[in-house]
Amino acid sequence: MQNALTNPANFDPQTFALEAIQNNPRLQPSTKHQYTKAIKNYLATGASLTNPEALSAYAGTVGTSTAAFLKAAVRTLAVEVAHEVKSGARVGMSGQEARDMQAMIYRADALQDAIKTKATKGSKAHTWLNQSQVADLLRACDRRKSGNPDAAIVAQRDRLAIGLLVAAGLRREEAVNLKFSDIQLQPVGDKMRTVLNVTGKGAKDRIIPISDQLANALSAWGAVVGGSGFVLRSLGRNKQAGESM
């Protein structure tokens, strides 16, 4: 990544911002995609990424979610710039160098405050599927209009995906990134239980106990696709399991 202090003449905020997003280990791939998309759409207007006034004006022309993604992306840029500038500080630097550093940090702070988003009022009620609706979803996996016997593997994959989302409570990103190596046995008293080791939002690890029914479904699916690599797989026209979803 470019250093914003040691090479200011060649500093490219666009490249710096995109690299800061891609190199951030705390961001999920889907989040990186949204941040990158928000920045590129803004840059397509011809405005500078380091212009607080232009950022503020643009944010007023787009939807709330788009503005929120852009704000978060710019915050990532600003935090990384401030970090790079501070890491370049050294004993014995000139007064002008120190002032230039402080100016860059102030500009980074200004970027973070440039985009205003409206806070939602009140609270939003979560909508949960009831048991009957979940059962309907699972039954729907078995109803294939084509009647193709090969579609049974698709139904098995889809039922497992729903089980991971509903019964284990995985987020979509967590479900598609789950690997067979993440399925482990853990002792509980004099018994063993199956758990999932999941790396979720914010790169945080968590252990999720699952039911015997879901564990058996995972075992049966592993026997079909080889029991290694990603659990959920794409299925082409020939119904052969791909690498992942």
Side-chain angles (χ1 to χ4, degrees), residues 4-5 12 17 24 47 57 60 66 74 84 94 116 119 126 146 161 167 174 192 205 208 212 216 237:
L5 178 64
D12 179 5
N24 191 325
T66 300
V74 170
E84 288 285 305
S94 69
K116 307 296 182 184
H126 292 286
S146 65
E174 294 170 343
M192 300 292 287
D205 295 330
I208 304 173
D212 290 341
N216 291 337
R237 292 189 177 183

Side-chain angles (χ1 to χ4, degrees), residues 68-141:
F69 280 126
L70 181 60
K71 181 179 179 68
V74 170
R75 185 187 301 114
T76 300
L77 164 65
V79 169
E80 190 61 32
V81 166
H83 172 74
E84 288 285 305
V85 170
K86 292 175 182 178
S87 66
R90 67 186 188 281
V91 177
M93 66 169 49
S94 69
Q96 185 59 51
E97 287 177 318
R99 286 191 292 273
D100 288 343
M101 285 181 59
Q102 193 63 53
M104 290 195 74
I105 293 174
Y106 282 149
R107 287 197 292 271
D109 289 340
L111 287 178
Q112 294 192 67
D113 298 329
I115 301 174
K116 307 296 182 184
T117 55
K118 294 181 180 179
T120 57
K121 297 181 179 179
S123 59
K124 183 178 180 180
H126 292 286
T127 303
W128 305 100
L129 297 177
N130 58 41
Q131 289 186 347
S132 175
Q133 291 170 325
V134 173
D136 286 342
L137 274 177
L138 293 173
R139 282 193 293 269
C141 294

Side-chain angles (χ1 to χ4, degrees), residues 218-238:
L218 285 165
S219 178
W221 177 246
V224 173
V225 297
S228 63
F230 291 105
V231 173
L232 297 181
R233 312 289 187 85
S234 60
L235 296 170
R237 292 189 177 183
N238 60 0

